[in-house]
Amino acid sequence: MGPVTFGVHRLGIDFGTSTTVAALAGPDGTLRPQVFDSDLPVASARETPSVEAVAAVLARVAGEAARATSAAGAVPPAVLTHPAAWRPDRRRLLVEAAGLAGLGETELLTEPVAAARYYTALLDRHIPAGSCLVVYDLGAATFDVTVVRQAADGFSIAAAGGLLDAGGLDLDAAVVRLARDRTPSAPAWNRIDRPRSPEEAAARLRLWHGARAAREGLTTAPVAELYVPLVGPLSITREEFERAATPLLTRTVERTVAALREAWVSPQDVAAVFLVGGASRTPLVAELLHRELRIAPVAVEHPDLVIACGAVQPERAPAPAAPPPPTARPRTRPALLRTFSPGGIVRGAPAVYGVAVSPDGALFAAAGEDRRVRVWDLGTGRVRYTLGEHDGPVRSVAFSPDGTLLASAGGHARRPGRTLRVWQADDGRRRHAFDTDPGGPAVVAFHPGGRVLAAAGRDGAVRLFDLTDGRPFTHRPAGGAAIHALAFSPDGAVLVTGDDDARIILHHGDPMPRHGGAALHGHRGAVLGIAFAPGGGLLASAGADTTIRLWDAAAGAQHAILAGHTEPATAVAFNPAGTLLASAGLDTTIRLWDAATGAHLHTLDGHDGAVHALAFAPDGGMLISGGADGAVRLWNVGRT
């Protein structure tokens, strides 16, 4: 959907006691957001400001809008937003302040309805008639939650609530408490807590500004630096911060659940949970909400701009109430089709660590603890051939994009040698043998062009091999964290690795990636599985922290956290259409998710131990899994 055309300028204003956000919409619908410091002291952030104080902020907004539209003194029609729970006297204060500020034609709109307009108009998402949008708004000073129902004649408020003592300031206070606990005997804290001079007052202000910067930094980094004036520098880890923030954020989740109960809305009637307000960037917010509601929240890059930008959008007609399209959910209930056990269906059968399907769907391969790779004919179920040259467990297998080659990786730590092998896929003849990690690489992947093969393992090195002439290249030298996951983007421009340090690293370059790369932080344990969606825009990861995480690969931003596995998640795979995501874990289960919404669709039970590997057949109708029980299982998941 393109920008909405208004024909005139419109101004949306989200007044806040900490910051005020304005969004100027041009006649062609283009948006120009701007953030203003409300200039209210921290102590006054939760008090009702005076009309004059509000008018002073709105006057600055009006002046900028007039200059931006090149209209001498003329301010575009404005939409002022306010919390749904505001009493009439608070709304009158806002209108009076707008008049003093020189804002002419003014309309009032509740913040959650503005957020709903953003969701439908700017994210181009529909809310079926009768369904609800949960707007979770964690601002600087307060928390508001609203259940917005889509009715035939527009949006209505089904329930609203909030907390006056929960916001970004309270998260900043948690950072300050962590700093104080680290240096409890420092006499400077008395001077910061009770400043008696302008210098000490400035130090107190710098501390709170630094705490906010540290808190915001921890949304993307595992560690943030905080300089405490009069005391010195120190480091705060995300783990420490999340422990300190959990009680506060748990209260906001409990209030969200209470609002749904008050509105008599079941999870099935919730179209989405939409994160709004700058403090909602905190990753723990989405994690706690998803864990409680089993709904992956919708997050945007700049949640603090949502309300102002949504205020200038028109309401869209509701989508017809209809069942969801069958493109994401399997058309038939998933069922176990067949089980293969390379070592026999016996207790203690050798584990299966890797599975792969040929691009034409004719063959599938399984590798495991018994040092062998077996290749089956998918149509007949018969073993085509068995490869047995590895000196240790085989951890990974992969077919080349054209289906002519099969790569296998594995070995023994005390028997260094040719641990990476490339075979002719049709008959199993060996084509190449390469030296890699002495213990054998943990994972192997072909470049989409088919010429380059990548392997990585416990020594932290990423090794690349040119299959046209057998030349080895070492992309990242050994010595780093052990690598458990590896994948090329569909266009081959990015090689992604997941390691023991909970990092997902994007190495750019085609076909040979450059050293280094941007890191994605979010998991709180080793990253054990990685997969790109077919389009390349979405990246999925599986972690030892039990979560599955979805990432915007281009922006490097976390999109959703999928919770459900009760033990470390080991593998992820997208179906060829990119609509279905499968995940596996040590909890013996396979879970199917809607790749677009993050909704949990089905849980597949069948393995008697940890599930280590997943692969979809090319038509998307079959999922193949391998596990610690020594079994390879074929599941009918329905073509999507």
Side-chain angles (χ1 to χ4, degrees):
M1 178 182 177
V4 177
T5 300
F6 300 109
V8 295
H9 285 89
R10 283 167 60 85
L11 179 63
I13 304 174
D14 174 19
F15 174 81
T17 53
S18 178
T19 58
T20 292
V21 181
L24 182 65
D28 59 354
T30 56
L31 287 170
R32 296 173 59 183
Q34 186 172 358
V35 179
F36 296 82
D37 190 335
S38 294
D39 288 332
L40 296 177
V42 171
S44 303
R46 290 196 172 99
E47 300 173 0
T48 301
S50 66
V51 173
E52 292 76 16
V54 177
V57 177
L58 296 182
R60 290 163 52 208
V61 174
E64 286 295 328
R67 281 190 288 274
T69 57
S70 301
V75 181
V79 180
L80 283 168
T81 64
H82 61 85
W86 263 22
R87 303 183 308 272
D89 59 321
R90 294 292 298 272
R91 297 198 296 271
R92 284 195 297 270
L93 182 150
L94 197 58
V95 172
E96 185 178 346
L100 290 175
L103 291 172
E105 183 183 344
T106 303
E107 172 191 348
L108 292 184
L109 183 70
T110 63
E111 291 174 354
V113 168
R117 290 184 179 183
Y118 184 104
Y119 179 84
T120 55
L122 295 179
L123 297 187
D124 198 20
R125 300 196 182 192
H126 290 279
I127 303 174
S131 294
C132 295
L133 179 71
V134 177
V135 179
Y136 176 104
D137 186 353
L138 190 62
T142 59
F143 165 69
D144 295 290
V145 60
T146 311
V147 181
V148 181
R149 179 172 280 117
Q150 175 73 80
D153 58 349
F155 295 117
S156 62
I157 305 298
L163 298 169
L164 296 177
D165 59 347
L169 294 175
D170 301 279
L171 296 176
D172 298 344
V175 174
V176 173
R177 285 196 299 273
L178 287 170
R180 187 189 303 274
D181 291 343
R182 294 274 193 86
T183 56
S185 60
W189 281 106
N190 291 329
R191 298 162 61 192
I192 293 174
D193 292 336
R194 290 175 289 277
R196 296 181 179 179
S197 68
E199 292 76 15
E200 291 175 353
R204 176 180 174 82
L205 188 60
R206 287 199 305 275
L207 168 65
W208 282 92
H209 285 169
R212 177 180 176 180
R215 185 251 301 173
E216 292 176 343
L218 289 171
T219 63
T220 56
V223 180
E225 301 300 319
L226 173 65
Y227 181 80
V228 181
L230 310 178
V231 176
L234 53 85
S235 299
I236 303 290
T237 68
R238 180 186 291 176
E239 185 177 358
E240 291 174 318
F241 170 68
E242 289 187 344
R243 277 200 303 267
T246 292
L248 174 73
L249 296 180
T250 298
R251 290 173 56 218
T252 68
V253 174
E254 291 170 348
R255 192 64 195 88
T256 301
V257 173
L260 285 168
R261 288 175 182 158
E262 291 168 15
W264 291 86
V265 171
S266 65
Q268 293 89 333
D269 294 325
V270 176
V273 177
F274 191 23
L275 302 185
V276 175
S280 72
R281 290 190 186 95
T282 306
L284 186 60
V285 167
E287 186 172 334
L288 293 176
L289 282 168
H290 195 178
R291 188 182 304 165
E292 179 65 33
L293 302 177
R294 300 298 181 189
I295 300 171
V298 175
V300 295
E301 186 175 359
H302 298 290
D304 50 334
L305 307 183
V306 165
I307 291 172
C309 292
V312 294
Q313 304 300 317
E315 286 193 10
R316 296 177 67 178
T327 54
R329 183 179 293 272
R331 293 178 181 173
T332 58
R333 185 171 183 82
L336 181 62
L337 291 175
R338 192 166 183 179
T339 298
F340 298 88
S341 187
I345 305 177
V346 295
R347 185 177 297 277
V352 175
Y353 293 129
V355 295
V357 186
S358 63
D360 61 2
L363 305 174
F364 73 93
E369 188 180 17
D370 63 355
R371 309 180 186 180
R372 290 177 172 80
V373 177
R374 291 175 176 84
V375 177
W376 280 269
D377 185 303
L378 194 55
T380 65
R382 295 178 180 175
V383 174
R384 178 78 68 88
Y385 54 83
T386 300
L387 309 173
E389 294 186 11
H390 285 280
D391 292 330
V394 185
R395 301 285 176 180
S396 180
V397 285
F399 282 95
S400 63
D402 63 2
T404 61
L405 301 177
L406 174 68
S408 59
H412 195 288
R414 291 190 294 273
R415 299 172 189 167
R418 304 287 180 164
T419 53
L420 177 62
R421 289 173 166 79
V422 181
W423 318 84
Q424 193 71 30
D426 56 356
D427 58 11
R429 287 182 294 115
R430 178 156 59 86
R431 291 277 301 273
H432 298 284
F434 300 108
D435 291 326
T436 60
D437 181 340
V443 64
V444 63
F446 280 93
H447 182 276
R451 170 190 167 189
V452 174
L453 181 66
R458 289 179 297 179
D459 67 353
V462 178
R463 294 177 172 87
L464 303 171
F465 302 90
D466 188 331
L467 298 180
T468 58
D469 56 14
R471 288 186 302 151
F473 298 87
T474 297
H475 164 54
R476 193 175 87 178
I483 294 173
H484 302 283
L486 181 75
F488 280 101
S489 61
D491 62 1
V494 182
L495 174 65
V496 178
T497 57
D499 63 27
D500 246 354
D501 285 345
R503 297 176 304 173
I504 299 169
I505 300 180
L506 285 70
H507 311 263
H508 293 268
D510 185 7
M512 295 295 176
R514 298 186 299 273
H515 288 276
L520 306 181
H521 298 281
H523 283 288
R524 291 184 287 176
V527 179
L528 303 178
I530 282 178
F532 273 100
L538 194 62
L539 178 70
S541 59
D545 59 1
T546 77
T547 67
I548 306 299
R549 297 178 187 244
L550 298 179
W551 309 82
D552 182 326
Q558 185 169 277
H559 176 65
I561 302 172
L562 312 184
H565 288 287
T566 57
E567 294 186 45
T570 55
V572 282
F574 284 97
N575 70 343
T579 57
L580 193 65
L581 174 68
S583 65
L586 298 187
D587 59 4
T588 78
T589 69
I590 299 166
R591 292 176 177 265
L592 301 181
W593 313 84
D594 185 312
T597 66
H600 174 248
L601 303 177
H602 296 287
T603 298
L604 309 182
D605 294 298
H607 283 279
D608 294 326
V611 186
H612 294 304
L614 297 170
F616 276 97
D619 67 357
M622 184 183 297
L623 176 68
I624 299 177
S625 60
D629 57 359
V632 177
R633 301 185 190 273
L634 278 58
W635 308 85
N636 173 26
V637 295
R639 291 174 176 82
T640 58

